[in-house]
Amino acid sequence: MKRKVLSALLIAAMTAATVGCGGGQQAADTQAPAETEAPADDAAPADDTAADDAAPADNAASGELITVGYAQVGAESDWRTANTESFKSTFTEENGYKLIFDDAQQKQENQIKAIRSFIQQEVDYIVVAPVVETGWETVLEEAKEAGIPVILSDRMMDVSDDTLYEAWVGGNFVKEGETCGDWLAKYLEEQGRGEEEINMVTIQGTIGASAQVGRTEGMANKLAEHSNWKMLEMQSGEFTQAKGQEVMESFLKSYDDIDVVICENDNEAFGAIDAIKAAGKTCGPDGDIIVVSFDSVKAAFESMIAGDLNATFECNPLHGPRVAEIIQKLEAGETVDKIQYVDEAYFDTSMDLETILAERAY
């Protein structure tokens, strides 16, 4: 903001000096490569961040908006949609912001173009949910040279210099995978199958994405603790329902005795469930195959209530208010924690799912 305030003062001074010569006409802004979208109205703020913390009322009242460019992965899942809505409902003009939103359609090159567009437009902050972890150093250097702070959301970047970004907000993906493994061990024990040989398959997310890397690692840590667990195969379902169904169809053709399917997001699980049913098998608490997934969107609760999904491990998508809180601290000249995890839980069919679902924001 300091850079833009200085520019505004210089422009005002130049305008005052030239007004007698007809120099008071405002120049048109010719740079608009990214689309500015209207904010959504109904997404709830994260429950661990007060809405008031995210709303710079002084800026809104003065008409001076903080411009935020958000380079989103895409719209590949229900989780991603909820994440987008969290940003759109937080970064509104009423809250003192102008949001420039870009959907990268799951392509890194599109995100890099969006970031360069944000730099050209001289936004105050850049937020990125990176498609993959690597390949960002050059464009982040460009943002740093332009004096624009970068905040990462959801997925991490693997860079040699962590001063290229201010902070990262997201879930602890390794912990999510480990929580899944712990839950599965307890569940199998309760079913009297604790010592039984268990055959598993994993439908991974987009290879190289932080959520895929962390969840795979976390589950591998737990797999190593159980000599009777056998991972038959892992394939990427790209975090989509269609690809999840395709991968599960392939698994069912290759293996006759699958006990557990681990899906690295809910949408993949929905596709896997469709494939299991189409093959004449059953799943869920009373079925042939245990199906677990990650994210905990509303449709996952509906799937558990229907008896198809055994459990879902939360990845809280409501990052908007936490990112806004970081921006306000940076505006005030405060330091912020580099890594900021959001609160997460898990849910299974032993819980009062209908009551929980009625209170969910996503």
Side-chain angles (χ1 to χ4, degrees), residues 224-270:
E225 296 177 5
H226 300 274
S227 59
N228 58 316
W229 290 6
K230 182 179 181 181
M231 185 63 68
L232 299 174
E233 191 174 347
M234 296 189 291
Q235 287 188 34
S236 173
E238 300 175 1
F239 289 131
T240 68
Q241 183 166 338
K243 188 66 175 179
Q245 181 171 347
E246 178 185 322
V247 171
M248 190 65 214
E249 288 170 351
S250 173
F251 286 158
L252 289 167
K253 290 176 183 177
S254 300
Y255 307 103
D256 295 327
D257 188 16
I258 297 174
D259 298 301
V260 179
V261 182
I262 300 163
C263 304
E264 290 189 342
N265 84 339
D266 292 329
N267 287 77
E268 290 176 339
F270 306 150

Side-chain angles (χ1 to χ4, degrees), residues 102-115:
D102 189 276
D103 181 338
Q105 299 179 341
Q106 301 189 66
K107 295 181 180 179
Q108 183 181 30
E109 59 266 31
N110 290 347
Q111 285 193 310
I112 291 173
K113 289 177 183 177
I115 293 169

